Amino acid sequence: MQTKLLAILLASTCAFTCGLSVAQLAPPAGQNLDRPDPAYQVIADPALADFDKFVEVELKKWNTPGVAITVVKNGKVILQRGYGYRDIEKKLPMTAETVQPIASITKSFTVSALATLVRDGKLAWDKPVRDYLPDFKLHNDYSTLNVTTRDMLSHRTGLSGHDWSWIGTQASREELYKRMQYMEPSDALRATLQPSNFMYMTSGYLGGKIAGTSWEELVQKNLFDPLAMRSANFTIDALFKAPNHATTYLHDVNEKPQPTPHLSVQAMGPTGSINATAEDMGKYLRMLMNKGQWQGKTIINAGDLIEMTNRK
């Protein structure tokens, strides 16, 4: 039987977050995972004995202050801890409970939140967005009338980045949504793959409108709450209110990490505003690995999870 193992890694440098597919990982000797959740088990695996050393080497190689890692194997958390510092100057250690931005991994939550609407029969991946948002408008009529939710989430609408039109702006999410009609596409609908933060912002905006709330409330109600992701939040203010939060760093010209202000992305929230802990992300990861099931409840239908992870 093929072993399923996946890790979520959160790194404090550059507010950088990523998901890792890992072949071999093991808990460090003597790790304490004494928790009420039965998923937390120390699984002896000689192949993982050098993992602490591996992380130490990688932190030095990339000159990264600290990382927080959760490793899931066959639905069980076998490693969950921090390495290095969440604050270099104060020598505060990184832990699995350190809250930090997950950046574009937020997009995964946007897709998952929409999948909960599909589960409830409120959204179809391949219906035109215009069916749900009558005021949806792109630069040309064909795209306006034919773009679907799948198109937006697959980066195939023909609209490229246009990121400098939102970075540092004071415009609201709805104002940015309405500006898209003036952005010229760089290709035809479904002709090529072009990453577009605007399409993910619009996807989250769509989800909030269908739910009758907002993207944030939809994610909170349909994902954070049922998964008990108690530290996850959406704003820089909420991040800093957490006693255990990571400082954001950027490398200077000498490749030395320097503290840097957070970039507020609230208007573009569905593309990258979520803050979370490695512990939170471990729960989300286990749900995804368990075909959308969590503690006997269906968060995402198994078929939709396939739709989310396979381009069509």
Side-chain angles (χ1 to χ4, degrees), residues 10-296:
L10 306 181
S12 62
T13 293
C14 305
F16 172 73
T17 309
C18 66
L20 297 179
S21 296
V22 187
Q24 295 179 336
L25 290 178
Q31 182 185 11
N32 179 16
L33 285 177
D34 183 18
R35 296 169 181 266
D37 188 336
Y40 294 94
Q41 297 182 10
V42 174
I43 301 175
D45 189 338
L48 305 181
D50 295 331
F51 186 65
D52 280 356
K53 184 177 181 180
F54 164 76
V55 174
E56 181 181 350
V57 170
E58 293 302 307
L59 287 179
K60 290 181 179 178
K61 179 191 297 184
W62 296 99
N63 206 7
T64 297
V67 297
I69 301 175
T70 287
V71 182
V72 175
K73 182 177 183 179
N74 292 333
K76 304 292 184 181
V77 173
I78 63 169
L79 182 147
Q80 187 160 270
R81 61 166 298 182
Y83 298 85
Y85 296 103
R86 63 184 176 90
D87 188 305
I88 301 174
E89 184 179 15
K90 296 179 181 178
K91 300 298 181 185
L92 299 175
M94 181 76 77
T95 73
E97 293 79 32
T98 298
V99 183
Q100 52 195 304
I102 68 169
S104 278
I105 302 300
T106 297
K107 292 181 174 69
S108 171
F109 283 85
T110 295
V111 183
S112 293
L114 292 178
T116 67
L117 297 176
V118 176
R119 175 201 66 194
D120 295 340
K122 298 178 179 180
L123 173 69
W125 299 119
D126 294 309
K127 278 191 175 182
V129 174
R130 189 90 170 192
D131 286 6
Y132 305 100
L133 295 174
D135 62 346
F136 176 74
K137 189 173 182 180
L138 296 179
H139 196 265
N140 63 73
D141 291 340
Y142 182 79
S143 293
T144 296
L145 296 174
N146 289 281
V147 162
T148 66
T149 302
R150 188 191 301 275
D151 292 326
M152 294 197 298
L153 298 175
S154 300
H155 295 299
R156 63 184 193 186
T157 64
L159 188 70
S160 58
H162 293 279
D163 286 323
W164 288 113
S165 61
W166 68 263
I167 292 177
T169 183
Q170 298 299 312
S172 68
R173 187 173 302 163
E174 187 166 7
E175 287 172 332
L176 291 175
Y177 162 74
K178 291 181 178 179
R179 288 180 187 178
M180 290 192 304
Q181 61 185 296
Y182 306 110
M183 299 176 183
E184 293 189 23
S186 55
D187 215 325
L189 175 62
R190 306 187 189 117
T192 189
L193 186 150
Q194 297 182 107
S196 172
N197 280 315
F198 270 94
M199 288 296 99
Y200 265 77
M201 179 273 291
T202 300
S203 297
Y205 179 78
L206 165 68
K209 288 295 184 180
I210 292 175
T213 55
S214 66
W215 168 77
E216 287 86 351
E217 291 175 275
L218 174 64
V219 172
Q220 183 73 50
K221 179 181 178 181
N222 289 10
L223 295 174
F224 289 174
D225 289 347
L227 295 176
M229 295 177 63
R230 297 184 180 89
S231 298
N233 59 68
F234 304 94
T235 68
I236 298 302
D237 287 344
L239 170 68
F240 287 145
K241 286 180 181 178
N244 184 350
H245 69 266
T247 299
T248 299
Y249 295 91
L250 283 175
H251 289 135
D252 62 19
V253 294
N254 298 313
E255 293 299 311
K256 182 179 180 181
Q258 298 291 345
T260 186
H262 285 273
L263 172 67
S264 177
V265 293
Q266 287 314 114
M268 298 291 284
T271 74
S273 71
I274 290 177
N275 309 299
T277 67
E279 184 176 28
D280 289 329
M281 297 299 287
K283 297 173 183 178
Y284 179 63
L285 181 57
R286 284 160 53 203
M287 180 274 291
L288 294 177
M289 293 178 69
N290 195 36
K291 299 180 179 180
Q293 298 291 309
W294 178 257
Q295 298 182 346

